[in-house]
Amino acid sequence: MAFCILPIEYVANYLTDDRDLCNFALTCQSTYAAVNTDGSGIWRQRFASTYDQMPGQSSNDLKRKYQRWRRVLRKGAIFSFGHEAQERRCLEILRELIIESYGEASSTCEDFQTSLNIVELESFMRRTNLVHDLFLNGGFRTGIGSDQLFLTVQLLFAHCSLNLAFNAISYAGDLSQKAVYEDNKMEPIFLGKSQGEVNVEWLLHVVNFFKYHMTCKEICTLLPIYEDLEDKEKPKAWKKKLERGVKKLGKSWKGSYGKETRADLYTLKTWIDAECYDYHVAYLDIRDLDNIRRNDAGKGFYMDNIDVDGGFQTMQLDFSTKASTPWPDSFERHLHSIPTLTKIQGRSTTPSSLRFEASGYDRESFFGSGSIHELPPQHGIPGWQRLTLMKYFADEQGAYEAGSDWCYEGCVLPGGQIILGRWWRPEMDPRDDTAYCGPFIFWNVADDEEEQQLVGSEAGDDDGAFVPYADDEVW
């Protein structure tokens, strides 16, 4: 009699527990048909209230996907190296949620509302140990290799690892310290013949290294200035659908880098002395660096010296540089920015790229010129880009200051919110085991207005921009 008064859909939607809804559907043929037939909107509505909408899929398809995702993620897993069956099931679902975040909306969509998929993903990160226990069981030359999808998912949620609200314990600081200070020959950022494969494990060590300095109360190095940042100034998740191709990045960035001081061992130049130490930098004595590189992993943590006066480094990017603007040969000799043939969508092609100019503040004002180009999907996830940058300073007259340049090479994580990589001095070979190099991290702090300016930004814009160097001769 009650069914004659209340629509079955009303009763079904009142049942918030999925198990109650399934049991209700088994009450009789009428309830089963009302809940489970393809014409029913009950499971579609339930899917849309939990995950990003996926137009074009039938109710039954959404029901199966919803139930599979909920069943696997509710059970969760105790993550170790990503090889166990339940770990693999969770990782596969997490990858699906990542790829399908923001539903079928294009990356040019102007609606920057929160993705329900990301809300669900971050909830999963909070209640499991996936990002809480980075390298808890080792991971750098320990003899046990971690699954690459496992590492990739951890890397994509670097913003969670660096989120103070997660209260994540920092592990394996010594392993990550050794990894990030290795030279490019030992730990290249990009692998393979065409340099199209990302070394996700090394990048994750960079995340863990800065997690140690930015969130760990025991060493309390970058933590005080990191705590002082507003929420909008801290690392965040991607804000639009992940797609292939080269994408312009946001304008405003903050960051830091790990650095060893050579003043007490080398006399190459006097560009580093007791009076000009950079702030917001992790300093490491060059003798400790030598020990780190020569000793086996896990032999101890060498304390970085930190001067945090002034806050984090800031940087602004300008992508209006004309494609025809000359790229100095000396830049290319050190950075190898021009992309080579690589396999994209099953065929060999030269990846599209974008030029940009940079400016910022790092104890004093600096300039830079760089490039980004697309990379193939990594372990099924699209949206990766390679970044190269030559950073340099100007003299009192505003002209290029000889010997002031620094090379940067990094990977832009999918979504364009975080850049991780390595810096080095251009007069040194980054592949040499005595190379003066170290890790860096930048994260986007763009406001809503800047995000709107990025809508529809693709390769090929040619508006022109001021370039702070006049010609290639000065280089």
Side-chain angles (χ1 to χ4, degrees), residues 30 69 81 93 96 108 155 272 315 347 403 425 444:
S30 297
W69 287 359
F81 295 101
I93 299 300
E96 290 182 37
T108 61
L155 182 59
I272 286 185
M315 181 171 66
R347 65 182 187 277
R425 287 291 296 176
N444 184 232

Side-chain angles (χ1 to χ4, degrees), residues 86-268:
Q86 185 58 24
E87 290 180 88
R88 292 296 306 174
R89 282 190 284 269
C90 284
L91 291 170
E92 294 289 347
I93 299 300
L94 295 175
R95 174 165 57 187
E96 290 182 37
L97 283 168
I98 291 169
I99 295 172
E100 296 181 6
S101 59
Y102 294 98
E104 293 188 351
S106 168
S107 63
T108 61
C109 178
E110 297 189 20
D111 187 1
F112 290 98
Q113 65 183 4
T114 302
S115 163
L116 293 178
N117 283 24
I118 292 179
V119 172
E120 194 72 14
L121 285 162
E122 291 181 346
S123 174
F124 182 84
M125 301 302 162
R126 288 179 183 275
R127 65 178 186 269
T128 67
N129 69 327
L130 185 55
V131 298
H132 285 266
D133 298 344
L134 296 184
F135 300 112
L136 174 61
N137 297 311
F140 186 68
R141 300 197 195 120
T142 59
I144 303 176
S146 295
D147 177 80
Q148 289 298 299
L149 179 57
F150 167 67
L151 297 173
T152 301
V153 172
Q154 287 183 313
L155 182 59
L156 261 63
F157 285 87
H159 65 284
C160 291
S161 297
L162 300 174
N163 189 333
L164 296 174
F166 274 60
N167 294 316
I169 300 174
S170 296
Y171 296 101
D174 53 342
L175 300 181
S176 292
Q177 186 182 58
K178 176 175 176 60
V180 300
Y181 282 117
E182 290 286 15
D183 59 82
N184 193 58
K185 182 179 180 180
M186 183 65 71
E187 286 292 330
I189 303 175
F190 303 101
L191 309 168
K193 185 177 180 180
S194 61
Q195 301 290 286
E197 181 183 346
V198 175
N199 186 346
V200 293
E201 183 168 1
W202 187 83
L203 293 179
L204 195 59
H205 276 296
V206 175
V207 173
N208 199 45
F209 173 83
F210 285 107
K211 174 188 174 186
Y212 230 79
H213 284 291
M214 293 164 64
T215 71
C216 186
K217 296 180 180 179
E218 287 71 24
I219 62 173
C220 198
T221 46
L222 293 173
L223 175 61
I225 60 172
Y226 189 56
E227 286 181 317
D228 287 342
L229 296 178
E230 298 181 28
D231 286 343
K232 66 180 182 180
E233 296 179 297
K234 294 177 181 177
K236 58 186 75 69
W238 59 98
K239 295 185 175 182
K240 49 192 173 183
K241 187 173 179 63
L242 303 183
E243 294 179 338
R244 307 176 72 144
V246 62
K247 309 289 182 183
K248 290 182 180 179
L249 305 179
K251 179 181 179 181
S252 301
W253 297 77
K254 288 185 181 293
S256 183
Y257 48 91
K259 189 174 187 179
E260 69 275 8
T261 175
R262 312 176 68 88
D264 52 2
L265 190 60
Y266 290 98
T267 58
L268 291 176

